[in-house]
Amino acid sequence: MLEIIPVPAFADNYIWLLRKGNKVVPVDPGDAAPVIAHLARDRLELAAILATHHHGDHVGGIPALLARSPVPVYGPARETIPGRTHALSEGDTILVPGIDLELAVLDIPGHTAGHIAYLARDEEPSLLFCGDTLFAAGCGRLFEGTPAQMVASLAKLAALPDTARIYCGHEYTLANLRFAAAVEPANARIGERRTREQAKRERGLPTLPSNFAEERATNPFLRTEEPGVRAAAERHAGHALDGSTAVFAEIRAWKNAF
Ligand SMILES: [Zn+2]
């Protein structure tokens, strides 16, 4: 039985621990200390490490974890990942040691140039670990990629079924929903979701994982084809926008300054 445990790190990061029996595989361990504390408390063993992209708050803990136990490190082929033993890109499939989990690799550039996602297709529902590309009700900033790349990456992810669970790298949901409500004030699903997610945060619970049914209904970055989203983007831009990439770029710039 696979268990997925959120380990909060820094101000708003999540390190996802994939656990089966006493074996644990962290996704994006930006900090080693909370992972080591979890391992020690439950007498668990590190079996491998997965990284989605090269940012320090996702890979900074890898050297300290490797110093404790040298395990395979899976990461994007096109980025520098500390201790990486397996360089991955689209089309690769890995069997994660220790937890016997098969993961497909997707290239999802935009936030960073070589960003990858891990998809457990055979789990029911499917599980997606997508780092800082798709967030609950939002998406990552474009540090190294273009709007067109991010639109293509999000479209690739959005092809997954409604029930697929989304494990992303940050607890940004409430701020993202506040922005989503500004883009689509008439979208009742956004208001309902804000109430639900707010209640989780008040109880100290993560708002994650999300799923694609929820994101398709409330995430403005997946809704650039919606007339209401386009109209809001055009009002913000002060002129007509040609195509969903232009709508996406305007909404992304709007969110950056929100
Ligand atoms: Zn990042």
Side-chain angles (χ1 to χ4, degrees):
M1 178 67 189
L2 179 72
E3 219 188 319
I4 302 168
I5 303 155
V7 173
F10 309 118
D12 48 35
N13 281 74
Y14 287 119
I15 301 165
W16 297 104
L17 295 187
L18 315 185
R19 175 183 173 180
K20 197 172 196 181
N22 73 331
K23 297 285 198 285
V24 165
V25 175
V27 181
D28 286 350
D31 191 3
V35 175
I36 291 168
H38 191 94
L39 294 174
R41 197 190 62 212
D42 292 347
R43 295 167 184 270
L44 304 172
E45 215 177 287
L46 195 69
I49 295 170
L50 304 176
T52 62
H53 67 294
H54 69 87
H55 284 160
D57 63 325
H58 292 251
V59 301
I62 294 177
L65 290 173
L66 291 180
R68 225 170 147 268
S69 35
V71 296
V73 177
Y74 298 83
R78 287 180 296 150
E79 298 192 351
T80 303
I81 305 293
R84 188 188 60 205
T85 56
H86 294 71
L88 304 175
S89 54
E90 178 102 14
D92 288 334
T93 300
I94 60 173
L95 186 62
V96 186
I99 60 170
D100 295 325
L101 179 67
E102 191 172 278
L103 294 173
V105 176
L106 307 174
D107 282 337
I108 49 168
H111 176 68
T112 62
H115 202 304
I116 60 171
Y118 298 95
L119 174 65
R121 258 197 202 104
D122 295 341
E123 297 295 306
E124 190 48 54
S126 308
L127 314 172
L128 175 73
F129 300 90
C130 55
D132 289 354
T133 299
L134 175 65
F135 290 125
C139 77
R141 286 176 188 254
L142 305 183
F143 287 119
E144 298 171 12
T146 64
Q149 279 180 319
M150 192 58 140
V151 166
S153 294
L154 292 175
K156 190 185 286 184
L157 299 182
L160 293 172
D162 275 356
T163 53
R165 290 195 180 142
I166 302 162
Y167 296 87
C168 54
H170 290 270
E171 179 62 67
Y172 288 159
T173 313
L174 293 182
N176 286 343
L177 284 169
R178 200 165 58 81
F179 175 71
V183 176
E184 288 190 277
N187 182 340
R189 292 283 302 270
I190 293 172
E192 291 160 17
R193 187 175 183 187
R194 280 179 92 177
T195 307
R196 258 182 294 126
E197 307 294 20
Q198 184 84 50
K200 288 184 202 163
R201 296 308 291 148
E202 279 163 10
R203 285 181 288 149
L205 300 173
T207 60
L208 304 169
S210 181
N211 62 62
F212 281 96
E214 195 86 273
E215 294 312 314
R216 275 190 259 281
T218 61
N219 188 328
F221 297 100
L222 296 186
R223 294 171 59 76
T224 52
E225 308 276 354
E226 292 291 322
V229 173
R230 165 181 289 267
E234 290 183 335
R235 265 198 309 279
H236 189 262
H239 54 81
L241 295 167
D242 187 19
S244 60
T245 299
V247 172
F248 172 87
E250 185 61 32
I251 292 173
R252 186 58 261 177
W254 180 3
K255 173 69 166 63
N256 289 349
F258 189 71

